[in-house]
Amino acid sequence: MSLYSVQTFYFFKELPETQLLSVRAWLLGHAFYKNILGLIILGKEGLNCTLACTQAADLDQFVIDLQSFFGNPEFSTIKKSDSDKPPFRRFVVKIREEIVTLGRPEFVPQGERRHLSPADWHQMLEQEDVVVVDTRNDYEYEIGTFENAIDLNIKEFSEFPDKIAKLDTDKSKPHLIFCTGGIRCEKAIFEMEKQGYENVYQLEGGILNYMEQFPEEKFKGECFVFDSRVAVDKDLKPSQNFSLCPQCGEVGSLDIVCLKCDERSKLCKACMSLTKEKPEYETCSKNCRYHYARDPETKGPQQKQFYHSQ
Ligand SMILES: [Zn+2]
Ligand SMILES: [Zn+2]
C-alpha cells in the first residue's frame, strides 16, 4: 500500500469574483498533471486546501507552483502528515462565498491577528485566569480537545456567533481559541472582538501544529479531520479508533468482521443498529453487503477497503 503525503494550509487574499472559474481551471489542470488528490475551497477571500499525493516531491512542487500562481501570499503554517490510505478519492475545487463558513463574508483577516506559536500557547495554557474555547463542532470536541476547554456545543461553525454571545465569561480575561488548522479562528477572533472580548488569542496552525511540537501534552484524545482518516492521533497518524462507516460514510467506531469477506471494519451506531434486522449491514463495503444479502452462505473475496472523500 502506498503512503500518501498530506498537506493542509490556507491563505486569505482578495480574488476578483470574475476570475474564480479560471483559477479553478488552473488548479484542476495542475493537480491532474501531478496526481494530486484533495479538496480546495476557493472564494473571493482566498483558499483553504487539504491536498494529498503518493509522491511527496510532487506535492511540494504543486504547493510551490500554487504559491507563485497567487503571487506568493502570506500562507498559514503548512501542516504535513501521512496517511497509508487515500484521504480523498478525487481532486475537487469548490467555489464558496467564504472559505470557512461563519456567515460573515465581510471578515477578511489581514496581517497578524494575535497568533500564538504552539510554544507560546503551551505556556499560556499554564497561566491561571485564562479561558480556553474550542471553536469546533461538538463531535470534534467529543473525540479530543485541550484540557479545560469550553465546548460551545455547535453543530456547524456558522452557529459560533450566537454561541459566543451566550458565553458567560469575563471579557477582559485572556481568551485562548483554537481549531483544527487555524482557519476557523481567523474569523472567530473577529467575531469575538466585535462582541467585546478584549484579549483573544488564536493558536497558530491549530491543533495539528500544536501536536506536531507537543505530541503528548495538553491536547487529549484525537483530532478530527475532514477526510477519510476521520481523525489523527498524537503522532498525526490516521486514527485507529475511528474510520468512515462503509455503509453510510458517517463516523464509524464499532468494530465488525465482515460477514462476507472477513475484512475488519468500523460501523457507525445507526448502521450497527440495523444489523439486527438486516445482517447484511455487518459487512465491510456496499459490495459485500449486496453479495451477502443475495448469498449469505458463501464467503467472498476480501474487499479492498473503499473510502469516501467527504
Ligand atoms: Zn453507517
Ligand atoms: Zn467484506
Side-chain angles (χ1 to χ4, degrees):
M1 213 183 255
S2 42
L3 190 67
Y4 288 79
S5 298
V6 184
Q7 296 194 19
T8 308
F9 57 90
Y10 60 86
F11 61 87
F12 286 92
K13 181 190 166 77
E14 233 177 90
L15 302 167
E17 201 161 1
T18 50
Q19 284 178 20
L20 295 183
L21 283 174
S22 58
V23 168
R24 182 167 173 268
W26 184 89
L27 289 165
L28 290 169
H30 271 250
F32 180 76
Y33 261 125
K34 295 208 175 339
N35 290 313
I36 307 288
L37 301 173
L39 174 65
I40 293 184
I41 308 291
L42 167 68
K44 53 189 193 312
E45 61 183 10
L47 260 77
N48 185 10
C49 312
T50 303
L51 305 171
C53 186
T54 51
Q55 304 298 319
D58 284 352
L59 183 55
D60 286 340
Q61 189 58 51
F62 180 80
V63 174
I64 290 168
D65 292 348
L66 188 150
Q67 280 171 315
S68 73
F69 180 79
F70 288 97
N72 296 309
E74 200 185 314
F75 265 49
S76 68
T77 320
I78 296 179
K79 276 81 59 188
K80 296 184 178 182
S81 53
D82 295 324
S83 180
D84 54 10
K85 55 190 184 184
F88 297 92
R89 284 163 62 205
R90 293 180 295 151
F91 178 77
V92 176
V93 180
K94 291 184 178 169
I95 296 180
R96 291 276 160 80
E97 178 71 14
E98 291 176 279
I99 60 172
V100 57
T101 305
L102 181 63
R104 298 269 195 267
E106 70 277 20
F107 292 172
V108 182
Q110 271 152 354
E112 191 61 22
R113 294 193 63 82
R114 300 201 194 194
H115 291 106
L116 294 180
S117 69
D120 290 344
W121 172 268
H122 190 79
Q123 259 187 353
M124 283 287 270
L125 287 178
E126 282 173 358
Q127 290 180 19
E128 282 173 32
D129 251 29
V130 294
V131 182
V132 186
V133 181
D134 194 332
T135 68
R136 302 171 306 152
N137 302 325
D138 50 8
Y139 55 86
E140 301 177 77
Y141 179 93
E142 206 174 293
I143 70 165
T145 193
F146 280 101
E147 284 170 1
N148 305 322
I150 295 173
D151 176 16
L152 294 173
N153 277 305
I154 57 186
K155 302 276 176 231
E156 55 181 33
F157 188 50
S158 56
E159 295 174 12
F160 182 82
D162 286 346
K163 297 286 179 154
I164 213 74
K166 292 178 188 129
L167 182 70
D168 193 20
T169 53
D170 179 347
K171 291 186 175 175
S172 65
K173 278 188 183 176
H175 281 62
L176 309 184
I177 64 172
F178 65 94
C179 59
T180 316
I183 188 168
R184 280 177 272 189
C185 290
E186 300 278 1
K187 292 219 167 192
I189 199 165
F190 265 102
E191 182 62 33
M192 291 182 73
E193 286 174 354
K194 200 179 110 188
Q195 293 195 21
Y197 289 88
E198 293 159 18
N199 285 302
V200 189
Y201 299 90
Q202 64 185 99
L203 172 56
E204 167 75 37
I207 300 161
L208 297 176
N209 197 23
Y210 178 85
M211 295 218 292
E212 202 174 289
Q213 298 178 39
F214 298 95
E216 269 172 288
E217 296 280 352
K218 297 180 188 301
F219 187 87
K220 304 296 179 198
E222 296 190 330
C223 178
F224 195 95
V225 291
F226 292 88
D227 59 57
S228 76
R229 294 171 295 170
V230 179
V232 293
D233 65 17
K234 62 181 174 54
D235 301 315
L236 302 178
K237 298 279 178 250
S239 174
Q240 299 298 311
N241 298 314
F242 303 94
S243 59
L244 292 182
C245 172
Q247 308 299 349
C248 72
E250 295 292 317
V251 174
S253 61
L254 304 169
D255 288 307
I256 57 146
V257 175
C258 177
L259 292 178
K260 189 70 182 173
C261 78
D262 296 334
E263 173 85 36
R264 287 174 184 281
S265 190
K266 290 180 196 294
L267 294 188
C268 73
K269 283 182 193 138
C271 290
M272 191 60 128
S273 71
L274 291 176
T275 60
K276 290 182 207 97
E277 301 261 304
K278 297 179 176 171
E280 68 268 24
Y281 272 80
E282 202 169 324
T283 48
C284 73
S285 57
K286 286 182 179 155
N287 193 30
C288 279
R289 181 169 108 204
Y290 173 79
H291 289 289
Y292 184 83
R294 300 186 85 192
D295 174 13
E297 302 304 323
T298 336
K299 286 283 180 190
Q302 201 156 46
Q303 295 294 306
K304 267 206 172 139
Q305 288 229 38
F306 177 75
Y307 298 98
H308 299 261
S309 63
Q310 291 140 45

